[in-house]
């Protein structure tokens, strides 16, 4: 050993030991990284090099019965950046400026942010982002989002409902059928570099989203629109707190329109009171008053306890029952059964109720569906109130027979009148027609469902005749439409509040169907607390029925008007062929001629009365003339401006009627 070595041996030993120890530490650390923690680091590296991107599913569309969209989806994008990872801020700012029209300085100022991630733009439409999607910038993140749109705004809003910011159904059909509508989100794995740029690799896994199913409602958009327009108009005229209405096809229970106003826009529900989101047709119960008299009348007819022409002394409009004086709206004397319904006599119907008894009145109330859910398939439906007979008081029989001490919904009342209209069968109401997946497979189809038989067809036919007279010459005359047979019943009820019945707040309602001989549509309309004068069912609600039916008649050419058949003892009733209320493509004049050849076989061989066709469309005018047994000849185009001969003249069959169009 040299003196130099001996001099520095200690230092060399320490330095060598440190070097050896360092290599040992590095080896141990390398062993830990590669062997012990290797799997964790591989996962971390994979996470940093790969990004899992969610692919949102497109929510299913809700359609009306004719396939018109009641909802839609708007695809938009949000642009975000990692400011520290942007290589060329000026280039990006210029590109976004051309895309949106904002100044480059607007984006440059935002790109100077010290935050790790910021959004530069929100809710850009697809067409605005197409060029950005094609050209990728390092550090730029483009997020795809889908928002729900309601193109008709308030129309059918309470039926449709709405969704929250996360795309979850909150109310109405959107809530009840959310599991069908929402679909299932997918995902894709993309590679990512240190600059934040992602790229789709073919070898990386991809799970495509399953878009939501489409729902077809039984609602008719045109009927729904005119219903809401007329409800709003009637509120303005009567000063009512709210108005509700429903239109139903009595043959299959399908709901054609259903609304209550005030309503709201499901695209911006926060701008309206929460109360407006309620579908009062199914949620609000009320004492109906005289529209409930159909229950007692049905029981009396079905049990053969009262003859139609049997007379009752209505006591001059006052009758003592269980120590309470029951009053009529008029001082009636002798009225037969039919006239009691026609004139809506409280005294008369109470005397009939005494004849049938409490148990029968309760049973037929239940058979009509009162006091039970209709199971329409919407959230928030109430069952109403119908107490068991042991809970009745001494006055309950009389009160119930005239529509008090019972709570009903407008939907329940509609189902009851639909039962009369279709001949005695209580149908389950339908709002969903079918649910169809994105590949066209029908997932669910709602078919007409019979709940029970309430009474024989002959009973309902007799009751329908009474209701027709109630509109023709009774309390429902303001629902009468010349040339059409309308059946209906008015209802007026004092509201119960603070332990007693109010003398200033009323429920005005009307229930009816048309054509009375072959019903196609049932309508129920309710006004809550209209101004005094409009509180009578025949004054407040009946005109609403008339206006809506008139608009439907002018709208739907499938409701054919045929010759009136006169009777010596009854007002004219107009038989109308049963038709399906389904959409039909526009027909040419050649097709109309073909229809005419068919309708000629049902012409009357007796003398014909010239119908009034002025103001009709050509299509409707041609049908009306041919059904009347006449030969049409038209001039010009447009709607009917004049006709020859004049309306009302009696002519021989197959006479020519000239139609002037303008």
């Amino acid at each position: 050993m040299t003196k130099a070595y001996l001099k520095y041996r200690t230092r060399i030993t320490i330095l060598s030991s440190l070097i050896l120890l360092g290599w040992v530490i590095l080896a141990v650390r390398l062993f830990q990284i590669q062997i012990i923690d290797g799997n964790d680091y591989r996962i971390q590296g994979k996470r940093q090099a790969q990004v899992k991107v969610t692919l949102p599913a497109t929510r299913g569309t809700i359609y009306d019965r004719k396939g018109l969209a009641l909802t839609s989806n708007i695809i938009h994008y949000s642009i975000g950046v990692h400011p520290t990872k942007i290589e060329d801020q000026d280039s990006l700012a210029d590109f976004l400026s051309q895309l949106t029209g904002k100044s480059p300085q607007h984006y440059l100022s935002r790109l100077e942010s010290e935050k790790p991630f910021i959004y530069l733009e929100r809710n850009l439409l697809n067409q605005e982002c197409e060029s950005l999607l094609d050209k990728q910038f390092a550090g730029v993140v483009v997020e795809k989002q889908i928002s729900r749109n309601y193109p008709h705004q308030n129309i059918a809003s309470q039926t449709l409902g709405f969704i929250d910011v996360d795309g979850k159904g909150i109310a109405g059909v959107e809530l009840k059928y959310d599991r069908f509508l929402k679909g299932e989100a997918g995902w894709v794995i993309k590679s990512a570099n240190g600059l934040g740029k992602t790229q789709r690799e073919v070898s990386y896994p991809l799970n495509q989203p399953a878009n939501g199913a489409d729902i077809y409602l039984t609602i008719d958009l045109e009927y729904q629109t005119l219903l809401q327009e007329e409800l709003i108009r009637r509120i303005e005229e009567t000063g009512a707190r709210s108005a509700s209405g429903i239109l139903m096809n009595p043959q299959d229970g399908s709901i054609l329109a259903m609304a209550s106003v005030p309503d709201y826009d499901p695209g911006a529900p926060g701008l309206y009171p929460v109360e407006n989101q309620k579908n009062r047709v199914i949620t609000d119960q009320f004492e109906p008053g005289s529209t409930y008299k159909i229950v007692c009348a049905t029981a009396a007819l079905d049990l053969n306890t009262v003859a139609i022409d049997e007379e009752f002394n209505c006591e001059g409009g006052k009758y003592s029952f269980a120590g309470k004086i029951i009053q009529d709206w008029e001082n009636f004397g002798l009225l037969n059964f039919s006239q009691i319904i026609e004139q809506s006599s409280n005294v008369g119907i109470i005397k009939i109720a005494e004849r049938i008894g409490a148990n029968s009145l309760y049973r037929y109330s239940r058979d009509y569906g009162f006091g039970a859910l209709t199971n329409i398939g919407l959230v928030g439906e109430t069952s109403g109130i119908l107490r068991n007979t042991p809970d009745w008081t001494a006055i309950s029989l009389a009160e119930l027979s005239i529509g008090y001490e019972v709570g009903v919904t407008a939907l329940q009342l509609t189902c009851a009148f639909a039962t009369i209209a279709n001949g005695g069968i209580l149908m389950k109401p339908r709002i969903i027609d079918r649910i169809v997946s994105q590949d066209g497979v029908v997932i669910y189809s709602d078919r007409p469902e019979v709940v029970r038989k309430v009474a024989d067809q002959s009973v309902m036919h007799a009751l329908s005749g009474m209701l027709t007279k109630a509109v023709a010459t009774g309390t429902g005359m303001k629902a009468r439409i010349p040339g059409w047979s309308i059946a209906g019943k008015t209802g007026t009820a004092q509201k119960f509040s603070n332990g007693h019945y109010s003398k200033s707040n009323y429920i005005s309602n009307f229930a009816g169907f048309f054509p009375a001989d072959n019903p196609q549509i049932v309508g129920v309309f309710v006004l809550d607390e209209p101004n005094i004068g409009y509180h009578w069912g025949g004054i407040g609600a009946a005109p609403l029925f008339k206006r809506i039916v008139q608009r439907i008649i002018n709208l739907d050419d499938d409701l054919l008007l045929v010759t009136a058949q006169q009777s010596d003892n009854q007002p004219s009733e107009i038989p109308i062929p049963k038709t399906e209320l389904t959409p039909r493509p526009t027909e040419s004049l050649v097709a109309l001629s073909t229809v005419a050849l068919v309708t000629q076989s049902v012409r009357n061989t007796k003398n014909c009365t010239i119908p009034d066709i002025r103001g009709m469309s050509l299509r409707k005018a041609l049908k009306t003339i041919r059904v009347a047994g006449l030969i049409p000849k038209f001039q010009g185009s447009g709607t009917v401006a004049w006709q020859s001969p004049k309306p009302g003249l009696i002519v021989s069959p197959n006479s020519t009627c000239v139609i002037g169009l303008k």
Side-chain angles (χ1 to χ4, degrees), residues 28-42:
V28 171
R29 178 60 176 160
L30 183 62
F31 180 81
Q32 179 187 10
I33 291 174
Q34 291 187 335
I35 305 301
I36 299 176
D37 298 331
N39 188 54
D40 293 337
Y41 282 111
R42 278 191 292 272

Side-chain angles (χ1 to χ4, degrees), residues 24 94 102 111 144 184 193 199 206 260 265 274 289 315 446 496 546 614 618 658:
V24 171
D94 290 338
K102 297 179 181 179
L111 289 171
K144 179 182 178 181
E184 186 176 348
N193 59 24
Q199 183 176 350
L206 168 66
S260 62
D265 182 354
V274 177
E315 312 288 347
D446 193 3
F496 189 83
K546 177 180 180 178
R614 291 170 295 185
L618 174 60
V658 180

Side-chain angles (χ1 to χ4, degrees), residues 531-605:
N531 294 335
I532 296 298
Y534 292 105
H535 68 289
W536 299 107
I539 304 297
L544 187 55
F545 180 91
K546 177 180 180 178
R547 290 174 180 175
I548 291 173
V549 169
Q550 283 179 321
R551 291 185 63 177
I552 289 175
I553 291 171
N554 292 328
L555 181 70
D556 198 332
D557 286 336
D558 284 341
L559 297 172
L560 302 180
L561 180 63
V562 297
T563 322
Q565 301 296 326
Q566 298 292 338
S567 172
D568 294 336
N569 301 320
Q570 299 181 13
S572 61
E573 296 182 358
I574 305 203
I576 298 177
K578 182 176 180 180
T579 58
E580 293 296 330
L581 296 177
T582 52
R584 189 171 63 185
T586 303
E587 297 169 328
S588 64
L589 291 179
V590 175
L592 287 173
S593 300
T594 304
V595 174
L597 293 176
V598 178
T599 58
Q600 285 180 3
S601 62
V602 296
R603 287 180 181 175
N604 192 348
T605 58

